[in-house]
Amino acid sequence: MNIQQARRFGTKTLCANNTATKSSSPALDADVLLQHVLHCDKTFVLFHGEVVLSSEQESQFKSAIALRNTGLPIAYITKNKEFYGLDFFITPDVLIPKPDTELLVEYAVDVLKQKLAANPNLPLSVCDMCTGSGCVGISILHEIIHANSILDPAPIRMVLSDISEKALCVAQKNLSRLVPNDVHKHVHLVQGNLFSAVSGSFDLIVANPPYIPTHEVSLLLRDGRSEPILALNGDVDLLGNPSPKHDGLGIMQNLVPQAVQHLAPGGILAVETGEYNAEPTESLFKNAGLKNRHIEKDLSGSLRMVVGQKAE
């Protein structure tokens, strides 16, 4: 089987799937998986159709196509996803980074750059709660380091926290891959239920917590995407029990007041939410005493990020 034949095989196989797990972009998926197996780029696949796959490559490609036909996302098959210009290692133990979450990174970076511009020697502390793959916190750190040519001593202390040990293993791998060794000593990975194991106060807390209602999670997972329920379902209390309401805010109701307790005076909390519960989340910010509250929209114009500031 050569590249041209492999592309046809992959596209035809994915098109033949008539189940709920059917790919919406079979030709593109086939090409991406072929690039992954051959360790090449799109241009090579397009212009070298005569190149013959080895028996091992052909077997790997067919296995990848079979996995895609189950609904498993490309990122879980290739174990890679680009986010904020960086290539993150991804497994089914963490959510696949989404473009809309880059809004959280952009906002955080702007806040930190303003603080550093006002006082370049000001030590800053940041917490990325529910870090998952570490994509938010590591992207923030990577951007600040390179924007300011900062290596050591870093004027920023970063905490990456998650309840999942497996997720933190993924975050640790991404930290090792994407952040200079000199800076690792300024980054702390903490396992715990929200802020139960986190100490100290922070100038900025960012979070992309589980915020999807239980019934919506079930619908999302019907396509075989296999993302971890733990990172999606917001309708649980601190003990992991179902919350009485079905609005996706069970975790958020505990995260917000805990975060406020860990914010330094003037510190900022920024969280990603669903468009259906952004306004109720802002109410949680208000009830927790945060000021300068506002909601930001994502790339599609939906309400996505809630921001608030602790009084000085």
Side-chain angles (χ1 to χ4, degrees), residues 112 115-126 144 150 153-158 186 201-204 264-265:
L112 295 175
K115 289 181 177 292
L116 287 172
N119 187 348
N121 297 315
L122 179 70
L124 296 173
S125 54
V126 180
I144 292 300
I150 298 166
I156 183 169
R157 175 177 70 94
M158 174 74 71
H186 301 285
S201 60
F202 300 91
D203 301 291
L204 174 66

Side-chain angles (χ1 to χ4, degrees), residues 209 211 234 245 247-260 269 271 273 277-291 293 295 306-308:
Y211 57 74
K245 296 183 179 180
D247 53 10
L249 293 176
I251 291 177
M252 197 76 75
Q253 288 171 344
N254 289 294
L255 186 153
V256 173
Q258 287 187 30
V260 171
L269 172 63
V271 302
T273 67
N277 53 23
E279 291 176 337
T281 297
E282 184 182 21
S283 294
L284 293 176
F285 276 45
K286 180 180 180 180
N287 294 338
L290 294 176
K291 63 177 187 176
R293 300 175 304 276
I295 302 176
V306 183
V307 176

